[in-house]
Amino acid sequence: MSRYERNILIDKIGPEGQNKLNNARVLVCGAGGLGSNVILNLASLGVGHIAILDNDKVELSNLNRQYIHKMSSLGLDKVLSAQKSVKEYNPDIEVVPYKVRLERENVVEYFLNYDLIIDCFDNYYYKFILSDTAVKTGKTLIHGGVEEFLGQVCVIGKNTACLACFVPELYNCSKNVGIKKGIISPVVSTIASIQSMEAFKIITGIGNILENTLLIYNGLNQEFRKIYTQKNINCPSCSHIN
């Protein structure tokens, strides 16, 4: 436990909180910009079991923001590159790579094995699959998204507003719709750090989490704002629950 001495010295964490982190099982969906930073943050916290789900390979254009991957990783599966980085950082952490494209037909089998799911995808079609499954299974999901100088985070559970409550107009988007947009690494790091902090709070039971709250960050103005909501009775995803 000496590796986590600075965590344990915090009164609200102590050995008990660190043990909760060590015993936690977290699934990170996406090993790109957000995922890279989230995975490294979870490893530094001492989360003992980290699963990584992604279907892409490392490309040179990824390296401006995906710090977990190196030049030597070009052409490798992102999940294997990320696994290697974590094991080099801390060999005691169990890292499980899933090289798979998540779809509605297979998502539940991955959710059920983990305490907490973190959304690091860059496509709203797949983000809604995660949100819908969190509602269906009762698992907690930490949503994050980034674009250019902006980012957002919220926590979704069975009894909270889901992603479709916030943005119902995007709910039926196609997986193939969208254009490649720019993104700057400090915004990615900021949003991933907030997602990681939410994960820490959920695992340890410390602090208030972003339930029914969408936190929005504007990097150009260094501004944060919160949008509060509740379940939308007309939500296309969760209106049938409660």
Side-chain angles (χ1 to χ4, degrees), residues 122-223:
D122 59 2
N123 180 301
Y124 261 102
Y125 175 85
Y126 292 104
K127 287 179 177 295
F128 281 122
I129 290 179
L130 296 179
S131 177
D132 291 350
T133 309
V135 171
K136 179 179 180 180
T137 62
K139 295 286 186 176
T140 301
L141 171 70
I142 303 173
H143 159 79
V146 286
E147 179 181 308
E148 297 185 354
F149 303 106
L150 305 174
Q152 63 187 38
V153 181
C154 68
V155 174
I156 298 165
K158 185 174 183 179
N159 297 312
T160 72
C162 72
L163 187 58
C165 291
F166 286 105
V167 285
E169 69 277 8
L170 296 177
Y171 185 67
N172 291 316
C173 65
S174 167
K175 70 174 71 175
N176 299 316
V177 171
I179 59 174
K180 183 181 291 187
K181 295 186 178 181
I183 187 168
I184 189 167
S185 58
V187 172
V188 178
S189 302
T190 299
I191 296 303
S193 292
I194 295 171
Q195 287 183 285
S196 303
M197 191 63 191
E198 292 301 294
F200 163 80
K201 291 186 291 182
I202 291 167
I203 292 168
T204 60
I206 299 171
N208 300 314
I209 60 176
L210 293 170
E211 290 183 322
N212 295 321
T213 306
L214 184 67
L215 179 68
I216 297 177
Y217 171 65
N218 183 324
L220 283 184
N221 299 329
Q222 293 294 15
E223 291 178 347

Side-chain angles (χ1 to χ4, degrees), residues 25-29 39 42 49-53 94-98 114:
R25 296 171 57 83
V26 179
L27 172 63
V28 181
C29 296
I39 292 163
L42 296 179
H49 183 110
I50 303 172
I52 307 168
L53 191 151
E94 184 179 4
V95 186
V96 178
Y98 294 120
Y114 297 94

